Amino acid sequence: MTDLWRRLLAALTHSGPGYDLPAQMETDLRATLAALADRYDEMAERLTAGHPTTFYARFTVAQERQAERAHTLRRAAADLREALRTGRIPHDLMTDAELEQHGTRATD
């Protein structure tokens, strides 16, 4: 069989080098989620960029809300990275059934 026919057959059957589509899709998904976590961190930095950094600084109500949103965004980014690293949902986001499955009782 000539090389042309071998490559054509590999392309039609999605086999051969470079045709591992599920692995490529998972790699693309992981890269997208990592980029999303990076964007969350960037947005959190922009929200708190002009805030005072001294210990006894006074914050306006708007700055306090921005700081709370920035904390939420940073936590979401950390949760995404933990899920990518471990392959499991972070402990504080698990439902009661998932906690019981892993041997941790849900607290009331």
Side-chain angles (χ1 to χ4, degrees):
M1 198 185 292
T2 64
D3 189 46
L4 172 69
W5 293 110
R6 184 173 289 128
R7 287 189 302 162
L8 181 62
L9 182 62
L12 291 174
T13 59
H14 299 288
S15 61
Y19 285 104
D20 193 4
L21 191 59
Q24 184 62 39
M25 288 174 54
E26 183 176 345
T27 302
D28 292 344
L29 178 63
R30 288 180 173 274
T32 302
L33 290 174
L36 180 63
D38 291 341
R39 287 190 184 184
Y40 281 166
D41 282 334
E42 289 174 13
M43 288 172 30
E45 288 299 320
R46 275 189 252 136
L47 279 173
T48 59
H51 291 195
T53 57
T54 57
F55 187 69
Y56 292 105
R58 291 181 176 235
F59 290 97
T60 64
V61 174
Q63 287 175 331
E64 287 178 8
R65 289 184 181 154
Q66 287 174 342
E68 289 172 7
R69 275 186 267 154
H71 175 71
T72 303
L73 287 170
R74 285 186 183 104
R75 186 69 210 158
D79 288 343
L80 272 173
R81 287 189 181 104
E82 183 178 349
L84 286 171
R85 185 176 48 83
T86 63
R88 293 186 302 187
I89 298 172
H91 187 268
D92 56 336
L93 295 177
M94 286 186 180
T95 63
D96 291 343
E98 290 168 332
L99 287 171
E100 289 175 8
Q101 179 184 2
H102 290 288
T104 307
R105 264 186 14 162
T107 57
D108 292 319

